[in-house]
Amino acid sequence: MQGILAGILTSVDVIGLYVLLPNVRYRLFLSLWTAALHMLFPLLGFELGSYLVRFLLEWGQWISSILLFCIGMHLLLFSHRDEKVTISPVILAVTASLDTFSVSVSFGMLNLEKTIFIMSAGLSALICAYGSLVIARRSQVFFGNKIQIAAGVIFIIMSILAIQQ
């Protein structure tokens, strides 16, 4: 049960990122790719965790902070433009899934059931990604770029908080 819950919790952040993308052409492809990465990164985290614990403890918070800041700035800079900016689904899915790697290192140390966790993370990521992409397309009509601006500010604040910890 802990593995299933952990997998679901590691996938919830996908909603926060993907709900901001109303114009994704290949929603199912992006959702499947995100689900695959939500399974691959934890597998790598479990297997390579003992070797990378030192690196992640030292640099993980900086990497996370920089990525959050860049996403936030991107959202703010392009929120007032009428032209649509596309981000590669491959890069987007990697960004959304990167945190599952570091999380799985700690879950591996806790001896969490690896197979159940990985399957739960993948299925949850698929559901969260596809659902939030569908919601994003529908909410764009009602809220316009206000969601994008708010999310950009939130990501920048999160990046600053990540550095301070």
Side-chain angles (χ1 to χ4, degrees):
M1 185 63 177
Q2 288 177 330
I4 294 171
L5 184 60
I8 292 168
L9 291 175
T10 58
S11 302
V12 171
D13 63 334
V14 171
I15 295 170
L17 183 60
Y18 286 5
V19 79
L20 302 171
L21 305 171
N23 299 319
V24 174
R25 180 178 286 164
Y26 303 107
R27 291 188 306 250
L28 183 59
F29 170 74
L30 178 58
S31 300
L32 289 170
W33 180 238
T34 303
L37 289 175
H38 265 72
M39 293 167 57
L40 176 65
F41 285 151
L43 182 62
L44 292 173
F46 272 103
E47 299 300 322
L48 301 174
S50 62
Y51 299 111
L52 298 174
V53 167
R54 284 188 220 125
F55 175 78
L56 287 177
L57 288 175
E58 186 175 334
W59 294 100
Q61 127 186 43
W62 285 96
I63 294 169
S64 173
S65 179
I66 290 168
L67 285 172
L68 285 170
F69 183 82
C70 290
I71 291 170
M73 285 302 295
H74 178 80
L75 289 171
L76 287 177
L77 291 173
F78 291 101
S79 66
H80 297 295
R81 292 188 179 180
D82 289 333
E83 65 187 63
K84 299 300 175 196
V85 177
T86 57
I87 300 173
S88 165
V90 173
I91 293 172
L92 191 58
V94 167
T95 303
S97 303
L98 230 133
D99 63 330
T100 60
F101 178 78
S102 56
V103 168
S104 66
V105 171
S106 59
F107 286 157
M109 289 184 217
L110 295 172
N111 293 323
L112 203 64
E113 177 59 41
K114 179 172 47 175
T115 306
I116 292 173
F117 169 71
I118 290 172
M119 296 304 292
S120 174
L123 183 61
S124 299
L126 175 67
I127 293 167
C128 289
Y130 193 77
S132 58
L133 288 169
V134 169
I135 290 169
R137 178 160 287 173
R138 292 184 181 154
S139 69
Q140 183 69 16
V141 174
F142 299 114
F143 300 112
N145 65 350
K146 290 178 181 73
I147 292 176
Q148 188 173 354
I149 293 170
V153 170
I154 290 169
F155 281 133
I156 289 173
I157 291 170
M158 287 172 58
S159 74
I160 293 168
L161 293 175
I163 291 291
Q164 292 177 349
Q165 288 183 347

